Amino acid sequence: MSFLEKINKEKIPRHIAIIMDGNGRWAKKQGKVRVFGHNKGVETVKEITEACAKIGVDYLTLYAFSTENWKRPKREVDALMKLLVSSIKKEIKTLHDNSIRLFAIGDIASLPPKTRKELSKAIADTQHHTRMQLNLALSYSARWELTNAVRAIVEEAMSGKIKVEDIDEELVSGHLTTRGMPDPELMIRTSGEQRLSNYLLWQLAYAEFVFSPKLWPDFTSEDLYEAIYDYQNRERRFGKISEQL
Ligand code: IPE
Ligand code: IPE
Ligand code: MG
């Protein structure tokens, strides 16, 4: 029986965050260059995005490029930026067909002009879609995001727009790149690595983590459903005890 039939359709996480990892190792295993793995990874992005939209996920956030990834060899960085442009162009139809709104979180200003242009265009062209929001985390890191939030909040406090006593969790959340979105209930990382790599540190405070041994290009919608099934069978206590739930 497929995990798609096993999952409870009434308990689909509203927001799923994924660390798409393992493209380079996947390529190496076939004796190919790393970029080959990134190209293949785009097919997985399409499959997982469509699967999430179909089962009723409201927000899907994909870690596509971290602040730290700028430190990779220039050749790989350039190839990734190019791939982003070509993938957006190629997959814009998928977004329209599934009524998916594209959004980007991260230091978008640091992306090359061509990438930025294609991204902004796709975001604008899909903004009316309502079935699901696909967030691409690009040049993103949680510490970058939190540092920016602290700066903005301090500026507002110093200019008298807010009082220090006004600073609460809601206000902090409202200064993050994910403002207005629910926190992810489920975080999936592929490739067997078990770390957050500077991803959504605030937002994942109470998320359930699923670590898949599969490399991202091998990850399928069935693996996604299995992760959701796993999530659905956990007891989320939020600090309470079982009997209180
Ligand atoms: C994830 O795959 C994609 C990006 C970080 C852009 P990697 O490129 O990290 O692949 P591995 O981890 O080296 O196998
Ligand atoms: C995290 O993967 C970033 C993305 C998936 C975009 P990395 O492969 O860059 O993370 P580390 O370096 O193994 O922690
Ligand atoms: Mg990696």
Side-chain angles (χ1 to χ4, degrees), residues 94-126:
T94 307
L95 299 179
H96 289 314
D97 290 349
N98 292 281
S99 188
I100 298 168
R101 185 167 67 244
L102 186 69
F103 192 68
I105 61 169
D107 187 9
I108 303 309
S110 69
L111 299 175
K114 239 183 149 177
T115 310
R116 228 165 44 213
K117 198 174 144 225
E118 205 57 43
L119 186 66
S120 310
K121 190 178 174 302
I123 291 171
D125 290 351
T126 60

CSV table of all heavy atoms in Angstrom, one decimal, residues 94-126:
chain,number,residue,atom,x,y,z
A,94,THR,N,4.3,25.0,-14.8
A,94,THR,CA,3.9,24.1,-13.7
A,94,THR,C,3.3,24.9,-12.6
A,94,THR,O,2.3,24.5,-12.0
A,94,THR,CB,5.2,23.3,-13.2
A,94,THR,OG1,5.9,22.7,-14.3
A,94,THR,CG2,4.8,22.3,-12.1
A,95,LEU,N,3.9,26.1,-12.3
A,95,LEU,CA,3.3,26.9,-11.3
A,95,LEU,C,1.9,27.4,-11.7
A,95,LEU,O,1.0,27.3,-10.9
A,95,LEU,CB,4.2,28.1,-11.0
A,95,LEU,CG,5.6,27.8,-10.6
A,95,LEU,CD1,6.4,29.1,-10.4
A,95,LEU,CD2,5.6,27.0,-9.3
A,96,HIS,N,1.7,27.8,-12.9
A,96,HIS,CA,0.4,28.3,-13.4
A,96,HIS,C,-0.6,27.1,-13.3
A,96,HIS,O,-1.7,27.2,-12.9
A,96,HIS,CB,0.5,28.9,-14.8
A,96,HIS,CG,1.2,30.2,-14.8
A,96,HIS,ND1,0.9,31.2,-13.9
A,96,HIS,CD2,2.1,30.7,-15.6
A,96,HIS,CE1,1.7,32.3,-14.2
A,96,HIS,NE2,2.4,32.0,-15.2
A,97,ASP,N,-0.2,26.0,-13.9
A,97,ASP,CA,-1.1,24.8,-14.0
A,97,ASP,C,-1.6,24.3,-12.6
A,97,ASP,O,-2.7,23.8,-12.5
A,97,ASP,CB,-0.4,23.6,-14.7
A,97,ASP,CG,-0.1,23.9,-16.1
A,97,ASP,OD1,-0.7,24.8,-16.7
A,97,ASP,OD2,0.6,23.1,-16.8
A,98,ASN,N,-0.7,24.5,-11.6
A,98,ASN,CA,-1.1,24.0,-10.3
A,98,ASN,C,-1.5,25.2,-9.3
A,98,ASN,O,-1.7,25.0,-8.1
A,98,ASN,CB,0.0,23.3,-9.6
A,98,ASN,CG,0.3,22.0,-10.3
A,98,ASN,OD1,-0.3,21.0,-10.1
A,98,ASN,ND2,1.4,22.0,-11.2
A,99,SER,N,-1.7,26.4,-9.9
A,99,SER,CA,-2.0,27.5,-9.1
A,99,SER,C,-1.1,27.7,-7.9
A,99,SER,O,-1.5,27.9,-6.7
A,99,SER,CB,-3.5,27.5,-8.6
A,99,SER,OG,-3.9,28.7,-8.0
A,100,ILE,N,0.2,27.7,-8.2
A,100,ILE,CA,1.2,27.9,-7.1
A,100,ILE,C,1.8,29.3,-7.2
A,100,ILE,O,2.2,29.7,-8.3
A,100,ILE,CB,2.3,26.8,-7.2
A,100,ILE,CG1,1.7,25.4,-7.0
A,100,ILE,CG2,3.4,27.1,-6.2
A,100,ILE,CD1,2.6,24.3,-7.4
A,101,ARG,N,1.9,30.0,-6.1
A,101,ARG,CA,2.5,31.3,-6.0
A,101,ARG,C,3.9,31.1,-5.6
A,101,ARG,O,4.2,30.4,-4.6
A,101,ARG,CB,1.7,32.0,-4.9
A,101,ARG,CG,2.0,33.4,-4.6
A,101,ARG,CD,0.9,34.1,-3.7
A,101,ARG,NE,1.0,33.5,-2.3
A,101,ARG,CZ,0.0,32.8,-1.8
A,101,ARG,NH1,-1.1,32.6,-2.4
A,101,ARG,NH2,0.1,32.3,-0.6
A,102,LEU,N,4.8,31.8,-6.3
A,102,LEU,CA,6.2,31.7,-6.0
A,102,LEU,C,6.6,32.9,-5.1
A,102,LEU,O,6.1,34.0,-5.3
A,102,LEU,CB,7.1,31.7,-7.3
A,102,LEU,CG,8.6,31.5,-7.2
A,102,LEU,CD1,8.9,30.1,-6.8
A,102,LEU,CD2,9.3,31.8,-8.5
A,103,PHE,N,7.5,32.6,-4.2
A,103,PHE,CA,8.1,33.6,-3.3
A,103,PHE,C,9.5,33.3,-3.0
A,103,PHE,O,9.9,32.1,-3.1
A,103,PHE,CB,7.2,33.6,-2.0
A,103,PHE,CG,7.5,34.8,-1.2
A,103,PHE,CD1,7.1,36.1,-1.6
A,103,PHE,CD2,8.1,34.7,0.1
A,103,PHE,CE1,7.3,37.2,-0.8
A,103,PHE,CE2,8.3,35.8,0.9
A,103,PHE,CZ,7.9,37.1,0.4
A,104,ALA,N,10.3,34.3,-2.7
A,104,ALA,CA,11.7,34.0,-2.3
A,104,ALA,C,12.0,34.6,-1.0
A,104,ALA,O,11.6,35.6,-0.6
A,104,ALA,CB,12.6,34.6,-3.4
A,105,ILE,N,12.8,33.8,-0.2
A,105,ILE,CA,13.2,34.3,1.1
A,105,ILE,C,14.8,34.3,1.1
A,105,ILE,O,15.4,33.4,0.5
A,105,ILE,CB,12.7,33.6,2.3
A,105,ILE,CG1,13.1,32.1,2.3
A,105,ILE,CG2,11.2,33.7,2.4
A,105,ILE,CD1,12.8,31.4,3.6
A,106,GLY,N,15.4,35.3,1.5
A,106,GLY,CA,16.9,35.4,1.5
A,106,GLY,C,17.3,36.8,1.1
A,106,GLY,O,16.6,37.7,0.8
A,107,ASP,N,18.6,36.8,0.9
A,107,ASP,CA,19.3,38.1,0.5
A,107,ASP,C,19.2,38.2,-1.0
A,107,ASP,O,20.2,38.0,-1.7
A,107,ASP,CB,20.7,38.1,1.0
A,107,ASP,CG,21.4,39.5,0.8
A,107,ASP,OD1,20.7,40.4,0.4
A,107,ASP,OD2,22.6,39.6,1.0
A,108,ILE,N,18.0,38.5,-1.5
A,108,ILE,CA,17.8,38.5,-3.0
A,108,ILE,C,18.7,39.5,-3.7
A,108,ILE,O,19.1,39.3,-4.8
A,108,ILE,CB,16.3,38.7,-3.3
A,108,ILE,CG1,15.4,37.6,-2.6
A,108,ILE,CG2,16.0,38.7,-4.8
A,108,ILE,CD1,15.9,36.2,-2.8
A,109,ALA,N,19.0,40.6,-3.0
A,109,ALA,CA,19.8,41.6,-3.6
A,109,ALA,C,21.2,41.1,-4.0
A,109,ALA,O,21.9,41.7,-4.8
A,109,ALA,CB,19.9,42.8,-2.7
A,110,SER,N,21.6,40.1,-3.3
A,110,SER,CA,23.0,39.6,-3.6
A,110,SER,C,23.0,38.6,-4.8
A,110,SER,O,24.1,38.2,-5.2
A,110,SER,CB,23.5,38.8,-2.4
A,110,SER,OG,22.8,37.6,-2.2
A,111,LEU,N,21.9,38.3,-5.4
A,111,LEU,CA,21.9,37.4,-6.6
A,111,LEU,C,22.3,38.2,-7.8
A,111,LEU,O,22.1,39.4,-7.9
A,111,LEU,CB,20.4,36.8,-6.8
A,111,LEU,CG,19.9,36.0,-5.6
A,111,LEU,CD1,18.4,35.6,-5.9
A,111,LEU,CD2,20.7,34.7,-5.4
A,112,PRO,N,22.8,37.5,-8.8
A,112,PRO,CA,23.2,38.2,-10.1
A,112,PRO,C,21.9,38.8,-10.7
A,112,PRO,O,20.8,38.3,-10.6
A,112,PRO,CB,23.7,37.1,-11.0
A,112,PRO,CG,23.9,35.9,-10.1
A,112,PRO,CD,23.1,36.1,-8.9
A,113,PRO,N,22.1,40.0,-11.4
A,113,PRO,CA,20.9,40.7,-11.9
A,113,PRO,C,20.0,39.8,-12.8
A,113,PRO,O,18.8,40.0,-12.6
A,113,PRO,CB,21.6,41.8,-12.8
A,113,PRO,CG,22.9,41.9,-12.3
A,113,PRO,CD,23.3,40.7,-11.6
A,114,LYS,N,20.5,39.0,-13.6
A,114,LYS,CA,19.7,38.1,-14.5
A,114,LYS,C,18.8,37.2,-13.6
A,114,LYS,O,17.6,37.0,-13.9
A,114,LYS,CB,20.6,37.3,-15.4
A,114,LYS,CG,20.3,37.6,-16.9
A,114,LYS,CD,21.2,36.7,-17.7
A,114,LYS,CE,20.4,36.3,-19.0
A,114,LYS,NZ,21.2,35.5,-19.9
A,115,THR,N,19.4,36.6,-12.6
A,115,THR,CA,18.7,35.7,-11.7
A,115,THR,C,17.6,36.4,-11.0
A,115,THR,O,16.4,36.0,-10.9
A,115,THR,CB,19.6,35.0,-10.7
A,115,THR,OG1,20.8,34.5,-11.4
A,115,THR,CG2,19.0,33.9,-9.9
A,116,ARG,N,17.9,37.6,-10.5
A,116,ARG,CA,17.0,38.4,-9.8
A,116,ARG,C,15.8,38.8,-10.7
A,116,ARG,O,14.7,38.8,-10.3
A,116,ARG,CB,17.7,39.7,-9.3
A,116,ARG,CG,17.5,40.0,-7.9
A,116,ARG,CD,18.5,41.0,-7.4
A,116,ARG,NE,18.7,42.2,-8.3
A,116,ARG,CZ,19.9,42.8,-8.4
A,116,ARG,NH1,20.9,42.4,-7.7
A,116,ARG,NH2,20.0,43.8,-9.2
A,117,LYS,N,16.1,39.2,-11.9
A,117,LYS,CA,15.1,39.6,-12.8
A,117,LYS,C,14.1,38.5,-13.1
A,117,LYS,O,12.9,38.7,-13.1
A,117,LYS,CB,15.8,40.1,-14.1
A,117,LYS,CG,14.9,40.9,-15.0
A,117,LYS,CD,15.6,41.5,-16.2
A,117,LYS,CE,14.7,41.6,-17.4
A,117,LYS,NZ,15.3,41.1,-18.6
A,118,GLU,N,14.6,37.3,-13.4
A,118,GLU,CA,13.7,36.2,-13.8
A,118,GLU,C,12.9,35.8,-12.6
A,118,GLU,O,11.7,35.5,-12.7
A,118,GLU,CB,14.6,35.0,-14.2
A,118,GLU,CG,14.0,34.0,-15.1
A,118,GLU,CD,13.4,34.6,-16.4
A,118,GLU,OE1,14.1,35.4,-17.0
A,118,GLU,OE2,12.2,34.3,-16.7
A,119,LEU,N,13.5,35.8,-11.4
A,119,LEU,CA,12.8,35.5,-10.1
A,119,LEU,C,11.7,36.5,-9.9
A,119,LEU,O,10.6,36.1,-9.6
A,119,LEU,CB,13.9,35.5,-9.0
A,119,LEU,CG,13.4,35.0,-7.6
A,119,LEU,CD1,13.1,33.5,-7.7
A,119,LEU,CD2,14.6,35.2,-6.6
A,120,SER,N,12.0,37.8,-10.0
A,120,SER,CA,11.0,38.8,-9.7
A,120,SER,C,9.8,38.7,-10.6
A,120,SER,O,8.7,38.9,-10.2
A,120,SER,CB,11.6,40.2,-9.8
A,120,SER,OG,12.8,40.3,-9.1
A,121,LYS,N,10.1,38.4,-11.9
A,121,LYS,CA,9.1,38.3,-12.9
A,121,LYS,C,8.2,37.1,-12.5
A,121,LYS,O,6.9,37.3,-12.5
A,121,LYS,CB,9.7,38.1,-14.3
A,121,LYS,CG,8.7,38.2,-15.4
A,121,LYS,CD,9.4,38.0,-16.7
A,121,LYS,CE,8.4,38.0,-17.9
A,121,LYS,NZ,7.4,36.9,-17.8
A,122,ALA,N,8.8,36.0,-12.2
A,122,ALA,CA,8.0,34.8,-11.9
A,122,ALA,C,7.1,35.0,-10.6
A,122,ALA,O,6.0,34.6,-10.5
A,122,ALA,CB,8.9,33.6,-11.7
A,123,ILE,N,7.7,35.7,-9.6
A,123,ILE,CA,7.0,36.0,-8.4
A,123,ILE,C,5.8,36.9,-8.7
A,123,ILE,O,4.6,36.7,-8.3
A,123,ILE,CB,7.9,36.7,-7.3
A,123,ILE,CG1,8.9,35.7,-6.8
A,123,ILE,CG2,7.1,37.3,-6.2
A,123,ILE,CD1,10.0,36.2,-6.0
A,124,ALA,N,6.0,38.0,-9.5
A,124,ALA,CA,4.9,38.9,-9.9
A,124,ALA,C,3.8,38.1,-10.7
A,124,ALA,O,2.6,38.3,-10.5
A,124,ALA,CB,5.5,40.0,-10.7
A,125,ASP,N,4.3,37.3,-11.7
A,125,ASP,CA,3.3,36.6,-12.5
A,125,ASP,C,2.5,35.6,-11.8
A,125,ASP,O,1.4,35.2,-12.3
A,125,ASP,CB,4.1,35.9,-13.7
A,125,ASP,CG,4.6,36.9,-14.7
A,125,ASP,OD1,4.3,38.1,-14.6
A,125,ASP,OD2,5.4,36.5,-15.6
A,126,THR,N,2.9,35.1,-10.7
A,126,THR,CA,2.2,34.0,-10.0
A,126,THR,C,1.5,34.5,-8.7
A,126,THR,O,0.9,33.7,-8.0
A,126,THR,CB,3.1,32.8,-9.7
A,126,THR,OG1,4.2,33.3,-8.8
A,126,THR,CG2,3.7,32.2,-10.9
